[in-house]
């Protein structure tokens, strides 16, 4: 028992250390690459690096844009992705195999292969340049999330569904009342997975929006990282501060929701 | 099972068609055209032109594929990604299952541990790469700690170590997500089975092997598949971490080469050929893996 | 099964059809050439250039209410070529981009994305330098706008710490001796720190400036053949090989700015960096070295120019052309120089803006150097050629895994092939 705790502790150290280092580095007035640089020194600490970012980009506006972009994707994935995942796992209908294979295929295709044809399609055929919709569209339903949903619906015992069907419940109500509550951790996993993509995505929103007031945080920050930060008094610190600003909202949200990823009474729910 | 349903028009649950329709429309509207287009490009002498520009794009058969396959840089990139997968996939599966199992138990600081393992996954690569560069360069913290044991040339500029370092970086970065998948799966392993195993006198290790591992098999299929797919599409890490696949192409990945040839150098036909080959390769790998790992479908 | 397949087919047909009909973007070129009206332009996101761009647009708009210019920033460096390439394909490129990389011009031209410009204005403004920017078909698809002739910056404090008061950096031997002294004295970790990564453009800031100097102004490719597998090319490559082999330069990518951080005592950069170094490094500047130590007045270097191009998606090309002339007029070029410290590609730069250079003697040297700059060759497959060169250079010079001469020969053969393809 103690061994496990110590092992987990060492593991946690390995996982957290780079972030600690990132935070310390972003607070340093002067970069310090030595071993002692890993410990905070009161004389060398400052919020200056953050002040410079705040000066260079409109954080509020960027955050709102990120929120709209990510929110749209999560909504799309939760509504349409859960429907598709459920159907693929629990319903027998024509074309199920085809849809499943399509879903697999889409996951295997590297996005870089599609970037430019997709750009042309969305800008020229759909006329969605410089709009939130154009930004959201390619990510609207996350295929990996659909796959995850399907996998967890598949794990639920078949008797549950048979019983509900015999009671005459419609598929929509079975999905909503029986299946969804049981796979809540999987849903949250799906949301997390879906969240990461658009939140950190840089190239696509950048291609699709030239107007700065539409650009999400990842775009304005990487813009800042490539050009503006070299002017900062401590360029390395500025880069790390940018990294922290991008990471903070995602980490915070995760910390808030992390309890809900695991539902402890699930197995009893399945049994009952 | 489906075989018996062929006679009926829409299957046992026609409502399923309605459920998947939005998703299918989405796939068709967003992916079908670019994907078909990529395949089309790979068989033509193709380049992107402005609307209205008159250009010739003759059909060239397998020419682009020949170009790609006779290019040592491309072959090396495919080899690199295999090295990557051999390290990354088993490591990911084992570590995430073991850690998930440990985190699933009632231990002190559980919240803290969970959060710490997920943080790398949540953070953008662009953000973390800077720190890793700092940690793993020749005078970085890792080498200072290792002292005389530090490799020379250092990690990311050593042609033997660059790809393994990238593989370990990606394992570290993605592990949180896979732990999450396993944690969710572990909730579905019935307590009764553990109790039964304990009655039979199985120790903790035995019950892990005999109850946990088979109990989460569907999740393992998922983890293996997803790890393979994300690994095969490796791009950001060699692009940022090893300065474009260095040293001397030792950490170049197919997607990186595809990006260089297709987008930077303006030969989308060649880039598409690489992409199509990669997709075929990954599909084959996925099939093999499903044969070995997954038996959930029966 | 059939239903989904049908849906797919419909969607596929729909999007293909939409693509086919959306092809009218370019319109009638003759009419467009004279048309006037509002236009869009893009400029780089470098802070000083943005400041200049804003005042230029404001000045134009104040006089031309009916031909309003709207301006946006695009990134410098890595992703701007991708963005422009995608915009050309989609037909939504702006009229003018004040950040067009000469290395991309051949590709954009092949895509049908560029409009040829009036040669007489280009040659009148830039003089002889203009010739390097002419495309193989004899037309100008770019207006040579501004250059950043790269030179060797050195950190005076680090040099003093190493006991060097009057740096001698003219010949390779002197340069190497100075470098060894700096590293041996531990005044700085490295003598010089060009980015050792594998991006195609990195050779512009290590091999190419020295090669331009060594050859007295030769381009990487001339008359359809690679020139670098020569004695001069080998000397330059060998010089860098020595720096890497003796660990005077680092093989590792650096986060941040090695020169500003004091990790490296020298840097290969253009005058744009002066604003960056302000208050952070006490610098001096010398021309790039040559094997024989040519006098400063004979040294050529890489121009690191960014140009203005007009894109074929532009409807109001009459206005675009007027804006282009307005933005590159003597007055606006002067403002650009004052705001950014980068050198407008005009003939007689030093005399035209004599006032500025008296007031800012730091920049005088760059103005002299600007008349002897070498551009990337304007040939088909330009970026592939640079990547081919970079791969060979990285393998042999940076990582020492192949003989330098053999690597250059091998790359030259491939480059000869690439130049022939169109």
């Amino acid at each position: 028992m103690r061994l496990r705790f110590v092992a987990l502790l060492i593991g946690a150290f390995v996982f957290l250390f780079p972030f600690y280092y990132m935070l310390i580095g972003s607070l340093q007035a002067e970069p310090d690459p030595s071993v002692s640089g890993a410990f905070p020194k009161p004389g060398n600490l400052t919020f200056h690096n953050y002040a410079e970012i705040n000066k260079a980009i409109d954080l509020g506006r960027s955050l709102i844009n990120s929120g709209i972009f990510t929110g749209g994707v999560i909504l799309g994935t939760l509504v349409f992705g859960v429907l598709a995942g459920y159907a693929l796992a629990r319903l027998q209908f024509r074309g199920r195999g085809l849809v499943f294979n399509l879903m697999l295929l889409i996951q295997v295709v590297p996005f870089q292969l599609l970037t430019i044809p997709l750009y042309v399609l969305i800008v020229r055929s759909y006329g969605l340049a410089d709009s939130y919709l154009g930004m959201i569209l390619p990510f609207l339903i996350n295929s990996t999330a659909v796959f995850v949903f399907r996998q967890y619906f598949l794990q639920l015992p078949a008797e549950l569904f048979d019983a509900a069907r015999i009671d005459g419940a419609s598929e929509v109500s079975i999905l909503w009342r029986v299946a969804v509550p049981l796979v809540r951790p999987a849903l949250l996993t799906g949301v997390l997975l879906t969240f990461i993509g658009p939140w950190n995505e840089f190239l696509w929103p950048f291609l699709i929006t030239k107007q700065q007031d539409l650009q999400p945080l990842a775009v304005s920050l990487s813009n800042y990282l490539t050009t503006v930060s070299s002017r900062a008094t401590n360029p390395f610190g500025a880069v790390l501060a940018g990294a922290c600003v991008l990471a903070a909202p995602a980490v915070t949200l995760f910390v808030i929701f992390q309890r809900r990823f695991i539902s402890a009474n699930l197995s009893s729910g399945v049994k009952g | 099972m489906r075989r018996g349903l062929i006679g009926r028009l829409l299957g046992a649950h026609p409502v399923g068609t309605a459920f998947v329709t939005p998703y299918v429309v989405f796939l068709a509207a967003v992916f079908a055209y670019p994907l078909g287009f990529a395949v089309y490009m790979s068989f033509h002498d193709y380049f992107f032109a402005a609307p209205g520009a008159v250009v010739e794009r003759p059909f060239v058969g397998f020419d682009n594929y020949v170009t790609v396959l006779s290019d040592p840089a491309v072959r090396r990139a495919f080899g690199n990604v295999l090295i990557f997968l051999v390290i990354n996939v088993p490591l990911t599966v084992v570590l995430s299952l073991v850690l998930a199992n440990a985190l699933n138990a009632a231990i002190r600081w559980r919240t803290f541990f969970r959060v710490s393992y997920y943080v790398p996954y949540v953070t953008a690569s662009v953000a973390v790469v800077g720190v890793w560069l700092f940690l793993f360069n020749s005078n970085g913290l890792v080498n200072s700690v290792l002292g005389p044991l530090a490799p020379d040339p250092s990690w990311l500029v050593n042609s033997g170590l660059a790809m393994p370092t990238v593989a370990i970086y990606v394992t570290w970065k993605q592990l949180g997500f896979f732990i999450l998948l396993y944690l969710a799966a572990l909730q579905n392993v019935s307590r009764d089975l553990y109790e039964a195993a304990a009655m039979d006198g199985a120790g903790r290790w035995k019950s892990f092997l005999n109850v946990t591992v088979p109990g989460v098999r569907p999740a393992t299929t998922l983890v293996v598949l997803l790890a393979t797919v994300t690994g095969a599409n490796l791009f950001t890490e060699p692009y940022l971490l090893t300065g474009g696949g260095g040293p001397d192409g030792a950490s170049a990945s197919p997607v990186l080469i595809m990006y260089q040839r297709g987008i930077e150098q303006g030969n989308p036909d060649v880039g598409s050929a690489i992409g199509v080959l990669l997709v075929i390769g990954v599909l084959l790998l996925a099939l093999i893996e499903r044969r070995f790992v997954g038996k959930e479908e029966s | 099964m059939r239903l989904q397949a049908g849906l797919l087919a419909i969607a596929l047909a729909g999007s293909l059809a939409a693509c086919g009909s959306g092809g009218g973007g370019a319109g009638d070129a003759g009419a467009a050439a004279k048309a006037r009206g509002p236009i869009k332009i893009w400029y780089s996101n470098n802070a000083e250039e943005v400041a200049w761009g804003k005042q230029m647009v404001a000045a134009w708009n104040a006089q031309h209410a009916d031909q309003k210019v709207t301006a946006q920033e695009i990134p410098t460096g890595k992703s701007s070529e991708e963005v422009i390439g995608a915009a050309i394909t989609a037909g939504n490129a702006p009229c003018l981009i004040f950040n067009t990389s000469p290395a991309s011009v051949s590709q954009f031209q092949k895509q049908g994305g560029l409009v040829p410009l009036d040669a007489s204005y280009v040659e009148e403004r830039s003089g002889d330098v203009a010739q390097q920017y002419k495309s193989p078909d004899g037309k100008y698809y770019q207006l040579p706008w501004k250059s950043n002739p790269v030179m060797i910056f050195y950190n005076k404090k680090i040099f003093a710490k190493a006991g060097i008061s009057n740096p001698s950096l003219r010949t390779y031997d002197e340069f190497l001796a100075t470098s060894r002294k700096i590293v041996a004295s531990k005044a700085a970790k490295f003598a010089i720190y060009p980015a050792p990564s594998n991006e195609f453009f990195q050779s512009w800031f290590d091999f190419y400036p020295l090669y331009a100097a060594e050859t007295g102004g030769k381009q990487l490719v001339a008359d359809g053949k690679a020139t670098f597998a020569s004695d001069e090319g080998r000397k330059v490559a060998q010089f860098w090989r020595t720096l890497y082999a003796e660990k005077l330069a680092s093989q590792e990518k650096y986060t941040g700015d090695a020169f500003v951080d004091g990790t490296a005592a020298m840097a290969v950069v253009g005058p744009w960096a002066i604003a960056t170094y302000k208050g952070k490094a006490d610098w001096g500047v010398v021309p790039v070295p040559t094997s024989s130590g040519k006098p400063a007045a004979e040294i050529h270097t890489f121009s690191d120019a960014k140009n203005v191009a007009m894109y074929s998606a532009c409807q109001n090309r009459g206005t675009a052309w007027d804006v282009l002339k307005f933005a590159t007029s003597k007055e606006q070029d002067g403002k650009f120089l004052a705001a950014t410290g980068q050198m407008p590609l005009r003939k007689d730069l030093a005399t035209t803006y004599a006032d500025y250079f008296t007031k800012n003697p730091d920049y005088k040297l760059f103005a002299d150097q600007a008349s002897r700059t070498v551009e990337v060759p304007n040939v088909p497959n330009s970026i592939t050629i640079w990547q081919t060169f970079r791969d060979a250079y990285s393998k042999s010079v940076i990582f020492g895994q192949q003989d330098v001469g053999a690597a250059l020969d091998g790359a030259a053969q491939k480059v000869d092939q690439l130049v022939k393809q169109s």
Side-chain angles (χ1 to χ4, degrees):
Chain A
M1 209 63 180
R2 170 149 307 161
L3 188 74
R4 177 160 71 190
F5 184 73
V6 172
L8 279 175
L9 208 58
I10 294 172
F13 175 78
V14 170
F15 273 72
L16 280 184
F17 185 75
F19 291 89
Y20 166 76
Y21 207 61
M22 188 162 109
L23 193 65
I24 288 289
S26 75
L27 292 169
Q28 281 171 346
E30 298 251 317
D32 183 352
S34 67
V35 177
S36 66
F39 302 98
K41 267 182 295 258
N44 196 14
L45 291 183
T46 171
F47 277 103
H48 184 72
N49 293 322
Y50 290 92
E52 290 200 54
I53 294 186
N54 197 24
K55 213 167 55 191
I57 60 184
D58 186 349
L59 277 177
R61 182 78 231 173
S62 306
L63 269 170
I64 292 174
N65 292 335
S66 277
I68 295 174
F69 179 27
T70 316
V73 173
I74 289 181
L75 192 69
T77 302
L78 272 186
V79 175
F80 302 123
V82 166
L83 279 176
Y86 177 73
L88 288 173
R90 285 287 161 201
L91 301 174
Q92 302 290 335
F93 59 94
R94 267 179 100 84
R96 187 171 87 150
L98 176 73
V99 178
F100 181 70
N101 288 327
L102 266 180
M103 178 184 74
L104 279 185
L105 180 71
I106 287 302
Q107 285 192 67
V108 168
V109 177
F111 192 65
Q112 283 80 1
L113 177 65
L114 308 179
T115 312
I116 292 189
L118 193 59
Y119 178 74
V120 175
L121 178 73
I122 288 186
V123 168
R124 232 161 87 188
S125 310
Y126 300 160
L128 293 175
D130 283 318
S131 72
Y132 288 117
L133 200 57
M135 218 189 295
I136 293 172
L137 196 58
F139 299 90
L140 183 65
I141 306 176
N142 184 320
S143 283
T144 316
V146 177
F147 195 39
V148 169
F149 295 152
R150 170 189 175 270
Q151 215 73 358
Y152 285 95
F153 284 127
L154 213 56
Q155 276 191 6
L156 299 176
E159 308 87 66
L160 220 67
F161 296 92
D162 296 340
R165 280 179 194 139
I166 289 165
D167 290 351
S170 74
E171 288 301 332
V172 179
S173 80
I174 296 177
L175 170 62
W176 186 243
R177 300 244 172 79
V178 181
V180 166
L182 287 177
V183 295
R184 216 172 53 210
L187 291 187
L188 274 152
T189 309
V191 169
L192 176 74
L193 164 85
T194 312
F195 171 84
I196 304 300
W199 183 265
N200 292 335
E201 176 64 27
F202 151 73
L203 187 62
W204 180 258
F206 178 72
L207 278 175
I208 208 89
T209 60
K210 301 298 175 317
Q211 292 167 15
Q212 270 165 326
D213 54 356
L214 275 177
Q215 288 176 345
L217 190 61
V219 177
S220 5
L221 266 181
S222 77
N223 203 8
Y224 175 80
L225 293 184
T226 47
T227 50
V228 192
S229 69
S230 62
R231 311 299 178 94
T233 34
N234 171 3
F236 186 64
V239 168
L240 294 186
C244 288
V245 170
L246 187 61
V251 174
T252 313
L253 276 181
F254 183 78
V255 170
I256 295 171
F257 283 107
Q258 68 84 24
R259 274 173 194 286
R260 298 175 190 268
F261 283 98
I262 304 337
S263 137
N265 54 12
L266 188 90
S267 49
S268 58
V270 173
K271 264 186 275 172
Chain B
M1 194 156 157
R2 241 182 34 224
R3 222 165 270 279
L5 298 170
I6 282 178
R8 292 188 221 168
L9 191 65
L10 288 168
H13 310 109
V15 66
T17 313
F19 280 19
V20 292
T21 302
Y23 181 58
V24 172
V25 169
F26 162 75
L27 289 184
V30 176
F31 288 105
Y33 169 71
L35 191 58
F37 198 65
V39 176
Y40 171 88
M41 276 192 288
S42 72
F43 289 105
H44 289 78
D45 180 5
Y46 197 94
F47 61 93
F48 292 118
V54 184
V55 287
E56 259 183 64
R57 291 152 171 166
F59 177 80
V60 294
F62 283 94
D63 276 12
N64 291 318
Y65 291 90
V66 174
T67 312
V68 164
L69 288 172
S70 57
D71 185 341
V74 175
R75 286 205 303 260
R76 178 148 195 204
F78 275 98
N80 285 340
V81 107
L82 275 183
I83 300 177
F84 175 92
L85 291 176
V86 165
I87 300 173
N88 169 270
V89 175
L91 207 59
T92 301
V93 173
V94 171
L95 281 180
S96 53
L97 179 53
V98 168
L99 283 171
N101 198 41
L103 287 173
N104 197 34
I107 36 159
R108 266 179 301 163
W109 297 5
R110 190 154 79 156
T111 307
F112 164 76
F113 284 134
R114 281 189 185 161
V115 170
S116 50
Y117 289 109
Y118 305 143
V119 165
Y121 175 65
V122 184
T123 318
S125 245
V126 190
V128 207
V129 157
V131 189
W132 268 69
L133 280 174
F134 210 53
L135 289 171
F136 275 86
N137 71 20
S138 4
N139 328 301
L141 211 57
V142 172
N143 280 356
S144 318
V145 171
L146 286 177
L149 293 175
D152 180 40
S154 181
W155 306 93
L156 294 167
V157 287
N158 183 317
S159 46
L161 288 175
M163 204 64 201
T165 311
V166 170
I168 288 172
Y169 168 81
V170 174
T171 312
W172 172 82
K173 176 95 177 47
Q174 300 286 341
L175 206 61
F177 170 63
F178 294 115
I179 292 178
L180 214 54
L181 285 184
Y182 270 127
L183 269 176
L186 282 171
Q187 313 309 313
N188 288 350
V189 182
S190 159
R191 295 257 155 84
D192 303 348
L193 290 174
Y194 285 107
E195 280 158 23
M199 298 263 255
D200 293 345
R204 201 174 323 126
W205 175 240
K206 264 239 157 83
S207 74
F208 174 76
L209 278 187
N210 295 334
V211 180
T212 313
V213 173
V216 296
R217 169 152 277 160
T220 305
T221 320
L222 185 66
V223 169
V224 170
L225 259 177
L226 289 181
T228 310
V229 168
T230 43
N233 289 347
L234 183 72
F235 169 71
T236 322
E237 288 74 19
Y239 184 63
L240 295 173
L241 202 58
T242 51
D248 179 31
S251 64
S253 68
V255 179
L256 181 81
I257 305 266
M258 184 178 90
Y259 168 82
Q260 283 185 348
R261 300 276 196 281
I263 297 182
E264 276 189 351
Q265 303 175 7
N267 297 314
D269 45 1
V270 178
S272 300
I274 300 178
V276 170
L277 287 176
L278 182 67
V279 168
I280 294 172
V282 178
L283 285 177
L284 282 178
L285 253 174
L287 273 181
I288 297 169
E289 283 172 353
R290 265 180 67 176
R291 178 132 304 171
F292 277 99
V293 193
K295 286 166 192 144
E296 32 98 28
E297 211 76 39
S298 53
Chain C
M1 196 96 138
R2 213 166 296 146
L3 180 67
Q4 270 84 20
L7 266 173
L8 262 177
I10 291 165
L12 196 65
S15 42
L16 280 169
C19 243
S21 62
D28 177 20
K34 293 193 198 79
R36 277 163 214 284
I39 64 164
K40 274 192 196 163
I41 66 166
W42 292 352
Y43 45 66
S44 115
N45 65 351
N46 160 314
E48 286 85 21
E49 285 182 50
V50 171
W52 169 82
K54 282 194 172 142
Q55 71 74 30
M56 187 277 285
V57 171
W60 169 271
N61 284 346
Q63 296 166 19
H64 305 85
D66 56 332
Q67 303 174 45
K68 222 164 140 13
V69 173
T70 352
Q72 278 161 21
E73 294 171 31
I74 61 157
T76 46
K78 279 184 195 167
S79 20
S80 63
E81 279 74 36
E82 273 164 65
V83 176
I84 299 173
I88 289 176
T89 317
N92 66 347
C95 278
L96 299 171
I97 300 181
F98 285 77
N99 192 33
T100 304
S101 164
S104 303
V105 164
S106 70
Q107 197 172 306
F108 295 163
Q109 187 194 334
K110 182 180 168 190
Q111 287 182 282
L114 298 177
V115 179
L117 304 173
D118 175 11
S120 60
Y121 177 76
V122 173
E123 284 168 0
E124 171 61 29
R125 177 174 170 277
S126 300
D128 291 342
V129 171
Q131 294 304 321
Q132 300 192 59
Y133 298 89
K134 205 184 249 179
S135 288
D137 67 358
K139 293 183 188 162
Y140 288 98
Y141 290 89
Q142 57 186 328
L143 176 119
W145 180 41
K146 48 107 172 178
S147 70
N148 274 289
V150 302
M151 299 180 80
I152 304 280
F153 279 65
Y154 63 91
N155 185 322
K156 286 183 180 163
K157 269 197 199 128
I158 294 178
F159 272 58
K161 212 170 141 195
I164 307 164
S165 52
N166 207 356
S168 50
L169 296 163
R170 284 180 17 163
T171 68
Y172 291 168
D173 290 340
E174 286 171 6
F175 195 103
L176 288 170
T178 307
S179 300
R180 287 179 191 121
K181 207 163 163 186
I182 290 162
V183 174
S185 69
K186 298 212 158 85
K189 197 127 193 53
F190 296 103
I192 194 160
Y193 210 135
S197 48
N198 206 29
E199 293 96 357
F200 70 90
F201 54 85
Q202 298 295 5
S203 293
W204 302 345
F205 307 99
D206 45 35
F207 177 85
Y208 204 43
L210 271 69
Y211 181 70
E214 191 66 29
T215 56
K218 233 183 224 171
Q219 292 188 323
L220 195 78
V221 175
D223 305 322
K225 280 195 99 64
T227 62
F228 54 80
S230 59
D231 270 357
E232 291 104 336
R234 272 189 283 275
K235 267 186 207 160
V236 177
Q238 199 55 54
F239 166 72
W240 282 107
R241 176 71 208 128
T242 313
L243 283 165
Y244 284 110
E246 296 185 19
K247 301 206 158 87
L248 304 170
S250 170
Q251 300 172 319
E252 272 179 303
K253 197 179 160 173
Y254 192 81
T255 311
D257 187 322
F259 185 71
V260 169
D261 297 348
T263 306
M266 292 180 275
V268 197
V269 267
W272 66 267
I274 295 177
T276 314
Y277 296 160
K278 202 173 212 159
K280 287 187 273 184
D282 184 9
W283 52 270
V285 65
V286 291
V288 297
T290 50
S291 65
S292 60
K294 288 184 190 173
E298 287 172 25
I299 302 272
H300 286 71
T301 191
F302 170 57
S303 59
D304 194 13
K306 282 286 174 359
N307 296 338
V308 193
M310 195 190 293
Y311 289 77
S312 55
C314 185
Q315 296 294 336
N316 296 318
R317 292 184 195 165
T319 300
W321 180 240
D322 289 347
V323 171
L324 179 51
K325 283 199 286 194
F326 174 78
T328 55
S329 60
K330 190 178 155 203
E331 188 201 346
Q332 283 297 336
D333 277 345
K335 285 184 178 165
F336 182 79
L337 174 67
T340 66
Q342 305 182 46
M343 306 292 141
L345 274 165
R346 308 185 137 253
K347 58 183 181 194
D348 307 326
L349 183 65
T351 48
T352 314
Y353 305 106
D355 273 5
Y356 175 83
F357 291 110
T358 346
K359 269 186 236 148
N360 300 277
D362 285 351
Y363 290 91
K364 182 92 178 66
L365 212 54
F366 291 101
D368 293 342
Q369 186 70 74
S371 57
R372 293 181 309 279
T373 52
V374 176
E375 192 41 72
V376 300
N378 191 344
V379 290
N381 293 315
S382 161
I383 291 175
T384 317
I385 288 171
W386 281 106
Q387 187 71 59
T388 308
F389 178 79
R390 188 67 185 172
D391 289 345
Y393 182 86
S394 165
K395 185 170 192 170
S396 60
V397 173
I398 300 179
F399 292 106
Q401 289 175 351
Q402 194 188 354
D403 173 65
V404 168
L408 292 183
D409 289 341
Q413 271 182 15
K414 283 189 212 157
V415 169
D416 287 348
Q417 292 288 319
L418 285 165
V419 182
K420 276 189 216 122
Q421 298 165 16
S422 59

